[in-house]
Amino acid sequence: MARELKTPSGPAVDPEAAARAVFGVLAKKVSEGELQGTLGLLPKELKELWPKA
């Protein structure tokens, strides 16, 4: 994974922090059944970033 994500304006963003933030929101807003289906499609490296319950 890249060490930083470039943004059109503003500072670069840490990709791991960005992924964790997105996953955190999804974990709160998406049903358990939908999450399990989605998690099953993710590569191991991304699954490891998923918030632990």
Side-chain angles (χ1 to χ4, degrees), residues 1 3-4 7-9 12-13 18-19 24-25 27-31 34 40 44 46-47 52:
M1 201 180 300
R3 293 190 187 265
E4 63 181 32
T7 59
S9 60
V13 177
V25 171
K28 293 176 185 173
K29 300 292 184 181
V30 179
S31 75
E34 290 175 307
K44 178 185 172 202
L46 288 179
K47 284 181 192 177
K52 305 297 184 233

Side-chain angles (χ1 to χ4, degrees), residues 10-27:
V13 177
D14 174 44
E16 182 175 327
R20 287 184 186 279
V22 170
F23 290 167
V25 171
L26 287 175

